[in-house]
């Protein structure tokens, strides 16, 4: 069902100044991203908790490979089965799909994937788990499952530790499944600006997952792991007793919104755009919501903090107020997106730069993998 | 620079019930879309103004071909040079890029395109026009140009008829360029809910473009055409003396937002999604902003007006409140997007259905063509 993409890339631009690229184009500051990976790996060095970076952030297998090389990894997290298939094609062998996999075609794909690599998925419902069991058993494979516990976000997940226990007790008897532990995402807390309040909120939320773990273990059912966390909460979740895997994703690229929470990481991602129209104090750039996204706020302009992008962006235009007088039609500027994850999904390649020049072009093979 | 895509499509699903498709998947109700095309073509039959549909809506050459067959067309409008290149590859020969084309690489691509098909672009600046002239002259081709006039949107365009005259006088002497007329988009008026107020606002705005035309003609410079309009304003712009081409796009697919303005067109576009988690009155679907977009409001659920999507959508999740009790995990539902143009750009194919079954699969070759 998934339509595979072949994306032949123009590698003749390697060595050129980035301003010579056509626009809009997605750029990654190679050294800055590499420092982010090293910093995150360093935090987890020697800790009990390990990193399971979220691929949904950049969807780029080459960048995933750099994350793996940076160390402290136990595997990768994906939002979608299609993303996991992309990673598996590239040789990654331990993947958590941190969501419910539902639907006849998807179950067949999941079973096929489990025949090739080690895979875990989230479940929060008996019938849903049963369909995975059926598909896995029919294919002669084993799928690892984590019970998702809603720790405050109000999205998927069972509502309480008691319900988690009830589901775990039923799961352990199902063929083709291996109960592994708990999936818990504190998404309601990751954008709390104040670090102390964020840490407190994260601790309280994650404590519900740890409590569910203890309740399940009390019934004699082993729990291998709790998986959760993010790039703005890893300092809390990564230190918590009972939390084993941290699904941080954005640290690899960063965006201006996450940079407010985790200033220790550098904003390595930008969208190169060009001024296509100019009048006093106003410039119009050649990128809009189709190339930059805006759901967590409009982009900011790198190196021009006074330049302002008002709330509305068009599909292919970005109107900048308080634009510097010196800007001319044709000038290239860097936009910093508010949400790296959705912006990367809008593009087909990352143009990696160092010292103002293109040093590599990495296809974003996971772009558009929605199923 | 553009990374061309090869999208092999799974055509084995043709003939199957749409609920059997993997999710999320973009669907087009074939007969409903066809009726929309016929209705719009009928409006323009016998009129002086012609249709130049905006390709940015669906980015699907096969659907463009249906628009052409429906009649009353003079060519197509594109937002991006990359979209125009896609249409040209599919044999479409008369294209307006209703935006400023800027940048050395783009100018070379524009000149190459003008060597193959008839192409017009918007200009609003002397230097910008001069660079097009240079590139066209060097390539031995002619590029048609429209002067964009800002008729109230505050985006690109010269600010007044007098400035349009000054630019036109300079343009007519430039080699490689052919001055053709005026580009004017009343984007600030297209979402005015009240039809009478919308018509009034559109008339007042477009009158500025017509006035600029008259001023230019008074200087003895022929003006072939004014191009503008949309799917919510075509009844006004299509009847205005002096307006020659209407760039309506959304009528081919429609979305719930435009349907409030133009109820004569049917909402043919939907995103098929699946319930992946369910609790009393709440359902979670397997699509979010990466597959449905939300910039003009969250999606609505087809046939379930009481079901409500709150303001926030996650990347891959959609939380539905007041979800029917009868919904079960695995059930398929149709989401109606708020903005067809950005939703189509998120997908790689349109699954066309008729009577509940898939009848065709059309690649969206223009998806992700940002440059």
């Amino acid at each position: 069902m998934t339509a595979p993409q072949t994306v032949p890339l123009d590698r003749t631009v390697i060595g050129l100044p980035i301003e010579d690229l056509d626009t809009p184009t997605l750029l990654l500051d190679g050294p800055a991203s590499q420092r982010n990976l090293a910093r995150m790996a360093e935090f987890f060095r020697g800790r009990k908790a390990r990193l399971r970076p979220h691929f949904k952030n950049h969807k780029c297998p080459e960048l995933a490979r750099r994350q793996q090389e940076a160390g402290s990894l136990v595997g990768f997290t994906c939002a979608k089965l299609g993303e996991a298939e992309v990673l598996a094609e590239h040789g990654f062998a331990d993947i958590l799909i941190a969501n419910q996999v539902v639907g006849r075609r998807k179950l067949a794909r999941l079973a096929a994937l489990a025949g090739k690599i080690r895979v875990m998925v989230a479940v929060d419902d008996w019938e849903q788990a049963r369909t995975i069991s059926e598909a896995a058993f029919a294919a002669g494979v084993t799928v690892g499952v984590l019970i998702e516990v809603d720790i405050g976000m109000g999205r998927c997940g069972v509502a309480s530790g008691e319900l988690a226990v009830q589901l775990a007790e039923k799961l352990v008897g199902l063929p083709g499944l291996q109960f592994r532990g708990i999936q818990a995402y504190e998404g309601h807390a990751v954008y709390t600006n104040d670090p102390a309040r964020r840490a407190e909120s994260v601790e309280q939320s994650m404590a519900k997952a740890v409590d569910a773990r203890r309740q399940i273990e009390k019934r004699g059912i082993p729990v291998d792991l709790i998986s959760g966390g993010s790039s703005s909460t890893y300092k809390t979740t990564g230190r918590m007793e009972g939390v084993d895997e941290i699904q941080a994703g954005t640290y690899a690229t960063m965006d201006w919104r996450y940079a407010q929470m985790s200033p220790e990481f550098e904003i390595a991602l930008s969208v190169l755009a060009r001024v296509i129209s100019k009048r006093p104090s106003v410039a119009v750039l050649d990128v809009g919501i189709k190339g930059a996204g805006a759901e967590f706020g409009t982009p900011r302009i790198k190196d021009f903090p006074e330049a302002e992008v008002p709330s509305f962006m068009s599909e292919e235009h970005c109107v900048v107020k308080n634009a510097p007088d010196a800007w001319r039609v044709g000038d290239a500027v860097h936009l910093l997106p508010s949400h790296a994850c959705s912006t990367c999904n809008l593009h087909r390649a990352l143009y990696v730069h160092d010292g103002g020049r293109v040093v590599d072009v990495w296809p974003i093979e996971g772009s558009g993998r929605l199923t």
Side-chain angles (χ1 to χ4, degrees), chain A:
Chain A
M1 177 54 58
T2 306
Q5 285 181 24
T6 309
V7 184
L9 297 170
D10 177 11
R11 296 180 63 85
T12 64
V13 298
I14 292 174
L16 296 180
I18 48 178
E19 284 75 19
D20 193 41
L21 293 171
D22 209 341
T23 53
T25 289
L26 192 63
L27 301 182
L28 185 75
D29 180 330
S33 173
Q34 201 62 40
R35 288 189 292 271
N36 288 347
L37 305 192
R39 183 164 285 123
M40 188 62 107
E42 183 54 34
F43 176 87
F44 282 94
R45 203 147 290 143
R47 279 184 206 280
K48 189 162 170 285
R50 311 304 290 159
L51 255 179
R52 187 182 280 280
H54 216 314
F55 183 59
K56 79 180 172 89
N57 169 243
H58 51 72
K59 296 190 169 205
C60 169
E62 184 59 35
L63 186 46
R65 195 172 67 74
R66 308 296 172 112
Q67 286 175 293
Q68 184 143 290
E69 287 170 0
S72 303
L73 255 72
V74 69
F76 277 88
T77 308
C78 290
K80 290 283 168 152
L81 178 57
E83 295 172 7
E85 289 168 340
V86 166
L87 277 180
E89 283 163 24
H90 284 265
F92 296 91
D94 191 329
I95 297 174
L96 162 63
I97 301 163
N99 279 321
Q100 286 66 22
V101 175
V102 171
R104 188 178 66 78
R105 287 173 183 274
K106 252 190 208 79
L107 292 168
R109 287 165 54 197
L110 176 64
L113 188 66
K116 294 176 198 154
I117 65 163
R118 199 159 49 251
V119 63
M120 295 189 289
V121 297
V123 298
D124 67 357
D125 174 84
W126 161 245
E127 267 300 303
Q128 183 233 336
R130 203 187 50 73
T131 61
I132 298 174
S133 162
E134 259 183 30
F137 182 72
V141 299
T142 300
V143 173
V145 291
L146 302 182
I147 292 177
E148 181 163 3
V149 179
D150 178 11
I151 58 172
M153 198 189 187
R155 203 166 63 183
C156 294
V158 297
S160 70
E162 187 48 44
L163 289 169
V165 170
Q166 290 173 20
L167 186 51
E169 287 181 327
K170 293 171 86 172
L171 284 184
V172 289
L174 283 179
L177 292 195
Q178 187 188 9
F179 172 69
R180 297 287 310 278
I182 288 169
Q183 152 72 22
Y185 179 50
E186 70 288 11
H188 58 297
V190 301
Y191 285 118
T192 303
N193 280 310
D194 178 65
R197 283 195 48 232
R198 183 164 71 246
E200 191 184 3
S201 172
V202 168
E203 268 178 21
Q204 286 173 359
S205 304
M206 268 298 179
K208 294 179 193 167
V210 176
D211 177 64
R213 172 182 202 150
R214 301 305 173 219
Q215 289 191 51
I216 296 170
E217 288 172 334
K218 260 188 210 160
R219 310 289 173 108
I221 301 171
V223 176
D224 293 347
L225 61 100
I226 292 178
S227 192
S230 79
S231 294
S232 72
T233 68
Y234 70 97
K235 284 185 183 168
T236 306
T237 53
R239 289 178 172 124
M240 276 182 80
E241 183 61 34
V243 179
D244 304 271
E245 299 184 353
I246 308 303
Q247 301 167 6
T250 303
Y251 75 98
T253 59
M254 291 300 284
D255 52 44
W256 72 253
R257 194 76 183 79
Y258 253 103
Q260 295 183 325
M261 317 293 141
S262 302
E264 66 272 27
F265 298 118
E266 302 170 51
I267 302 179
L269 194 77
S270 65
V271 178
L272 190 76
R274 219 171 275 284
V275 178
I276 59 164
S277 187
K278 181 76 175 65
R279 52 189 187 272
S281 90
V282 174
V284 184
L285 309 180
D286 62 355
V287 68
I289 46 171
K290 279 181 176 171
E295 70 268 19
F296 291 152
T298 53
R300 297 188 172 181
I301 313 291
K302 191 180 173 191
D303 300 330
F304 295 95
E306 75 284 7
E308 205 185 309
V309 179
S311 58
F312 178 76
M313 287 208 306
S314 308
E315 284 166 60
E316 308 285 7
H317 297 84
C318 178
V319 179
V320 182
K321 312 272 182 187
N322 292 325
D325 285 340
W327 284 7
R328 294 279 171 271
V329 170
D331 285 359
V333 299
H334 292 258
L335 268 77
L336 307 179
S338 65
H339 193 202
C341 305
S342 54
T343 301
C344 288
N345 182 58
L346 293 168
H347 289 260
R348 305 299 189 266
L350 270 170
Y351 289 78
V352 188
H353 60 101
D354 183 357
R357 288 185 181 269
V358 181
V359 293
D360 218 338
V361 187
W362 296 345
I364 304 176
E365 284 102 329
S367 173
R369 294 285 181 150
L370 299 176
T371 66

